[in-house]
Amino acid sequence: MFSSSSSSSGSSSSSSSSSSSGSKSSSSSSSSSSSSSSGGKSSSGSSSSSSSSSSSSSSSGGNSSSSSSSSGGGSSGSSGSSSSSSSSSSSSSGSSSSSSSSSGSGGATGLIFHSFGGGSTDGSAPYAAVIQATNGNFYGTTSTGGAYGHGTVFEITPSGTETLLHSFGSVQSPTQNFNDGVSPYAGLIQGSDGNFYGTTISGGANGNGTVFEITPAGVETVLYSFAANNFGSGITPSGGNPQSALIQDSNGNFYGTTTIGGAADYGVVFSVTPAGVETVLYSFGGVDGATPYGGLVRGSNGNFYGTTESGGANGYGTVFEITPTGVEAVLYSFGSNGGSDGAFPYASLVQGSNGNFYGTTKSGGVSKDNGTVFEITPTGVETVIYSFGGGVSDGATPLAGLVQGSNGNFFGTTSTGGNASNEDGTVFEITPAGVETVLYSFGGGSSDGAAPYASLVQGSDGNFYGTTVNGGAGTSCNQGCGIVFKLAVGGN
C-alpha cells in the first residue's frame, strides 16, 4: 500500500563559492565542419557536424502518507541511420489501481496509476520521468521489457489506460547492434511538430546509442546513431551512451549530453537537427567536468546550463554554462568544502522564477553524506539549502532533478530513505528558503512503488506524476517492474 511517512530531519547549510575559486573559467569552441571520423574536440571544445539519413517505417505497440515538515537548513564518424520496427499494438488498463495514503502536514495522497507488467507485452524499469502531451495523455519510456526486452515507449491516459507504442530492439544488424536503439534511460520531449523525441543509451548503427523520433501513433525513426569507436581507442568522437532527455530550441534543433565520447572520452554537449545532422558543441576534458548524466536547461539569457557528475577542480562534479556556439564556463566545482557543499550531481537543473538555478547532488552535505538540494546564481554563487538526513525520517540519494510547482515550491524524489522498512525512497517538497517536507515514503511490494529515480511532472490537474524503477504488481521482475504514480498534494 501507499505508506505513510514519518517526520524528516535534515539540515540546512550554505556554502558560497564559485567555480574552482569563485570565478568562471571558460573555453571556446571552433568551427563546425562536417564528416571526418576523428571529429570531436579537445576540452577547449571544438564543434563538428555529421549528417545522417533517415527513413521510417511504422511500429506499433504491444500492451498496452502522511508527512511532517523539517527545516532544512567532432565530428561523428557515422551518419545517423534510420531504422524501423513493428510490433502489435493494443491498449490495456494495465494493473491500474488506487491506494490512498494518510495525509500529514504535506497533505499528499498517492495513487498507483499503472503497474508495469514487464515481459514481452509491457515495459519494465522506468528510469525516466513522464511528460504530459498537448492531448492530455502522458508519455514515457522504460529501460527494459517490451517485445524484444530492450525497452519501450508508452502512452497512458489520465484514466490510467496504457498503450505500448514501440518496443526497441526489433531491427538487428549483423553485429546485433539493434539499429532502432536499446534501453532508453531518458524521458521524452514533445517537439514543436507534435512528435516525441528521445535517446537510447546503446544500440543504433554503431552500438553507442541513438537520438530517435516517434509519432503519437508509434512510428519510430532513428535520427542519429552515435559514432563507432575511433580506431579501437574506445573514444567516440561524436559522444556516446546518452542518458538524459533532449531540449529543443526555437529553430527546431535538439540539444543534449552524452556520458562518454568526445576528444577526452569524458562526454560531450551536442546538437542535432530534425534532419539528423549532429554537431559536437563541446567535449569535456576532466578539470572542466566529466560524465554529464543530466540534461541541459536553457536559461533566460539563451545559454544552456547543466551538471557533470564528476570532474571539476575537486573531482566531485560541476555546474557549467555553455553558449549555443560552444563556449563553456565552469560556474561551480563541488567539493571545495570537503563535500559539505554537495558532491556528484546526477541530474539536470531547473531555473527558478527568481532566475537562480536549483538542483540536487546524490551525496555530500552536512548530514551523513546523503545528498543535498542546492541553489546557484547565474554568476556561480552556490548555497546548499538542504542536506538530506536519510534513514526512516528523511530521504537520501536524490538522483533526479527538481520541478517548481505552481505554488512556487520545488518538488523532487529521493531514491532511498523514508520511513518504510526497506527505505524505498520518497517524494519531497522544499521551499526556496530550505524548509523540506517529506510528502510520501514508498513501501515497495506489489501495492506500492520503490526506488524513484526520475523527476516529477505537474499535470494540468495540479497533481504530480512520476515513476519508480521497482515495485508494483508486475510479477515478471524480481522486485516488481515499476509503476507510474500520481500524487495529490495539498495547496497545488
Side-chain angles (χ1 to χ4, degrees):
M1 295 189 311
F2 267 67
S3 59
S4 60
S5 71
S6 56
S7 64
S8 66
S9 62
S11 60
S12 176
S13 62
S14 67
S15 71
S16 293
S17 52
S18 33
S19 153
S20 299
S21 61
S23 59
K24 293 185 185 180
S25 60
S26 66
S27 49
S28 63
S29 69
S30 51
S31 66
S32 93
S33 57
S34 69
S35 73
S36 154
S37 62
S38 59
K41 157 181 135 20
S42 68
S43 53
S44 62
S46 76
S47 84
S48 57
S49 68
S50 69
S51 65
S52 67
S53 62
S54 69
S55 63
S56 73
S57 70
S58 68
S59 71
S60 48
N63 201 14
S64 64
S65 79
S66 74
S67 62
S68 64
S69 295
S70 78
S71 157
S75 164
S76 124
S78 89
S79 59
S81 66
S82 170
S83 60
S84 63
S85 65
S86 64
S87 50
S88 61
S89 168
S90 67
S91 293
S92 112
S93 60
S95 303
S96 184
S97 62
S98 67
S99 166
S100 2
S101 68
S102 53
S103 294
S105 61
T109 302
L111 170 78
I112 294 182
F113 211 43
H114 178 73
S115 282
F116 289 100
S120 62
T121 58
D122 200 7
S124 55
Y127 280 92
V130 294
I131 63 167
Q132 187 171 29
T134 53
N135 64 359
N137 293 340
F138 296 89
Y139 294 80
T141 63
T142 65
S143 63
T144 58
Y148 310 99
H150 294 296
T152 71
V153 176
F154 65 88
E155 174 188 22
I156 187 166
T157 68
S159 62
T161 301
E162 189 237 22
T163 301
L164 194 156
L165 294 178
H166 182 73
S167 288
F168 289 97
S170 62
V171 180
Q172 300 184 28
S173 67
T175 56
Q176 292 194 341
N177 279 337
F178 302 103
N179 286 7
D180 64 329
V182 168
S183 297
Y185 274 61
L188 304 169
I189 65 164
Q190 187 169 28
S192 54
D193 59 359
N195 293 336
F196 300 97
Y197 296 82
T199 61
T200 63
I201 191 174
S202 57
N206 308 298
N208 290 305
T210 70
V211 175
F212 66 88
E213 173 187 13
I214 187 166
T215 69
V219 179
E220 191 246 16
T221 303
V222 172
L223 293 181
Y224 185 75
S225 286
F226 288 96
N229 289 347
N230 186 22
F231 305 111
S233 67
I235 296 175
T236 53
S238 70
N241 301 153
Q243 295 198 37
S244 60
L246 304 167
I247 61 173
Q248 187 178 33
D249 68 10
S250 58
N251 295 320
N253 298 323
F254 300 93
Y255 296 80
T257 63
T258 68
T259 58
I260 65 169
D265 206 19
Y266 287 122
V268 308
V269 175
F270 69 90
S271 68
V272 64
T273 70
V277 179
E278 191 246 20
T279 301
V280 172
L281 294 176
Y282 189 76
S283 289
F284 290 99
V287 69
D288 58 339
T291 320
Y293 283 100
L296 303 170
V297 60
R298 193 154 203 183
S300 55
N301 63 356
N303 293 337
F304 301 103
Y305 295 81
T307 65
T308 64
E309 191 263 350
S310 58
N314 309 299
Y316 290 92
T318 71
V319 175
F320 66 87
E321 174 185 13
I322 187 168
T323 69
T325 57
V327 179
E328 191 250 19
V330 176
L331 292 181
Y332 188 75
S333 287
F334 290 95
S336 60
N337 293 321
S340 63
D341 59 333
F344 309 123
Y346 202 78
S348 305
L349 302 169
V350 62
Q351 188 169 31
S353 55
N354 62 358
N356 293 337
F357 296 91
Y358 294 81
T360 61
T361 63
K362 67 180 183 180
S363 54
V366 299
S367 181
K368 303 179 182 177
D369 203 32
N370 288 312
T372 72
V373 176
F374 67 88
E375 174 186 20
I376 187 166
T377 69
T379 58
V381 178
E382 190 248 20
T383 303
V384 173
I385 65 173
Y386 188 74
S387 289
F388 289 97
V392 299
S393 59
D394 199 9
T397 321
L399 299 177
L402 305 169
V403 60
Q404 190 167 29
S406 55
N407 64 356
N409 293 337
F410 296 95
F411 295 79
T413 63
T414 65
S415 62
T416 62
N419 74 343
S421 58
N422 294 323
E423 297 184 18
D424 287 319
T426 70
V427 176
F428 67 89
E429 176 180 11
I430 188 167
T431 69
V435 179
E436 188 242 24
T437 301
V438 174
L439 297 175
Y440 188 77
S441 288
F442 290 95
S446 62
S447 59
D448 200 3
Y453 278 38
S455 57
L456 304 168
V457 63
Q458 188 169 23
S460 57
D461 57 3
N463 297 318
F464 291 90
Y465 296 80
T467 62
T468 67
V469 175
N470 299 324
T475 58
S476 64
C477 311
N478 288 336
Q479 298 179 356
C481 298
I483 68 169
V484 178
F485 65 86
K486 171 182 177 180
L487 199 68
V489 178
N492 278 278

